[in-house]
Amino acid sequence: MTSNDVFTQMGVSELIAPQLRNAARAARAGDTGSAMTHAWLFSGPPGSGRSVAAVAFAAALECSNPEVVGCGQCEQCRAVRNGTHGDVVHIVPQELSIAVATMRRDVIEPAATRPTVASWRVVILDNADRLTDGAANALLKTVEEPPKHTVILLCAPSTDPQDVMPTLVSRSRHVYVPQPNTKEVARLLMQSDDVSEEIATLAAASTSNHVGRARRLVRDPDMQRSRARTLTLAEDVFRGDKAFRNVTAMVKEITKVAEQGLAEASEAEVEKLRTALGMGASGRGAQKALRGSAGQIRELEDKHKKRRTRAVRDALDLALVDLAGLYRDALIKAVDSNVELMHPDFQQLSEGLCQRVSPQGLSACIEAIMKAREHLGMNVRPETALDAMVGRIRLACGVSE
Ligand SMILES: [Zn+2]
């Protein structure tokens, strides 16, 4: 048993860690026969930590510790964990779909180059379910005949043909990453963020054990405030038009936070493209290049706009899932079930709801929220979708004008 290697440190489930340790050891021994292979598919629901497992595996492959394969401490391991390793490319697509051109530039080209400092060129592709058919086909060639020193790690929600093209699945080794439970996520947070068990458990429960979101909730006061504001909506619906005013504020705030999160990365990308195109340089050649490149800059800005829209929509959707969880908590109280609450710190509010609103009313509230999520998915303006939702919730709660 390896007690404290990079897999343990990063909280990778012991259900899959042994297989990855074996593969990394075989890779170091130069045995790419059975334990090790060039293409892997990590599948698991969002928040299961599938890309964390892929990063830990990449670290183990690049590790230079002569004793422990994947020590988590050496320079190589640390660089992979920090996302600064020169031979590891980690792509996290933000758009709804990954096009062929993006695929070629970000995945296939880097995959074809030899590693420079460590033993392997590792390409990690998150959200591989967003590949267009064309992009998946383009990738297939690399997966079928990978360069000798290249390892491709795909991450996707499942191996379902709807998520990943079957030919891609059949040519990769599949690792199913199980969804961790509340206790496991809490333990991870206590380790990584040095928080109390109570705070860690609360963060895990209220994000349905989504590792990344739970971590953000622990770290980010903005997110804590935003969650509290969302859940308090259930109280606001009883107070005149307060809920209507608050959804407007809520949409504004969520939009701001989502945009801030993306702005820096987007600016950096535009800057990089400008440099690559020779903009900012002077001379006749540069002037000529400049004229042709305006279109490319516009294209990139267009891409960023789509990314922003998606980020805002995702953030709003998660807020609505939070709110639905509160009504679910109230329903659980109503039937006196022993199921764990999603928002134990808002227990007073869910108890109050349970006393004020009938179980049918509570179900209708949840339906109203699901309807709003549907509307957001159909690109209805967020303010409009949430206003309609508040109206329906008020009706379900028997609030008269
Ligand atoms: Zn190491």
Side-chain angles (χ1 to χ4, degrees), residues 6 28 59-60 62-65 68-78:
V6 71
R28 185 178 287 188
E62 306 291 33
C63 177
S64 60
N65 186 319
V68 188
V69 180
C71 67
Q73 317 283 344
C74 71
E75 201 185 323
Q76 308 290 332
C77 278
R78 275 185 290 135

Side-chain angles (χ1 to χ4, degrees), residues 88-314:
V88 177
V89 184
H90 189 172
I91 295 132
V92 188
Q94 305 291 339
E95 294 75 22
L96 275 169
S97 66
I98 307 169
V100 186
T102 316
M103 183 67 187
R104 290 232 161 84
R105 190 192 60 218
D106 293 349
V107 180
I108 296 173
E109 278 174 24
T113 59
R114 290 177 61 89
T116 52
V117 285
S119 318
W120 297 92
R121 164 75 61 193
V122 184
V123 180
I124 306 172
L125 176 63
D126 267 350
N127 305 334
D129 53 309
R130 297 189 193 160
L131 293 172
T132 59
D133 285 353
N137 270 317
L139 177 64
L140 190 58
K141 280 200 199 81
T142 308
V143 169
E144 275 176 331
E145 291 166 36
K148 214 169 140 235
H149 294 280
T150 298
V151 181
I152 306 220
L153 310 177
L154 305 173
C155 306
S158 79
T159 54
D160 190 285
Q162 273 207 318
D163 280 339
V164 188
M165 202 167 73
T167 38
L168 218 44
V169 176
S170 69
R171 279 158 184 80
S172 314
R173 184 161 305 161
H174 179 215
V175 179
Y176 174 72
V177 184
Q179 169 84 49
N181 60 32
T182 307
K183 249 205 185 107
E184 286 164 335
V185 173
R187 191 166 43 84
L188 259 181
L189 294 180
M190 284 158 68
Q191 271 172 15
S192 66
D193 287 77
D194 197 26
V195 288
S196 71
E197 187 172 357
E198 196 193 350
I199 290 179
T201 307
L202 177 64
S206 61
T207 55
S208 304
N209 307 327
H210 186 299
V211 181
R213 288 190 62 217
R215 187 166 282 145
R216 259 193 74 195
L217 190 58
V218 163
R219 289 181 185 172
D220 183 356
D222 277 346
M223 194 161 160
Q224 291 159 13
R225 258 195 305 278
S226 171
R227 167 175 175 263
R229 168 176 269 168
T230 301
L231 297 181
T232 318
L233 268 185
E235 175 73 40
D236 296 340
V237 293
F238 295 101
R239 302 201 172 141
D241 65 353
K242 195 170 175 199
F244 289 109
R245 275 184 283 129
N246 274 358
V247 284
T248 312
M250 183 179 132
V251 171
K252 253 194 206 136
E253 183 174 309
I254 288 178
T255 306
K256 199 179 95 192
V257 172
E259 284 181 349
Q260 272 170 355
L262 288 177
E264 217 170 290
S266 298
E267 265 167 40
E269 272 178 41
V270 171
E271 211 33 59
K272 204 168 135 197
L273 179 62
R274 290 176 80 97
T275 312
L277 294 172
M279 292 170 92
S282 53
R284 244 183 307 160
Q287 282 305 317
K288 201 173 154 200
L290 201 77
R291 257 171 268 134
S293 48
Q296 290 187 52
I297 299 271
R298 212 172 307 123
E299 203 178 292
L300 184 63
E301 282 169 351
D302 228 36
K303 193 173 110 181
H304 289 160
K305 202 174 150 211
K306 280 192 196 131
R307 185 188 291 180
R308 205 161 52 227
T309 310
R310 182 184 166 85
V312 170
R313 213 169 76 187
D314 284 354

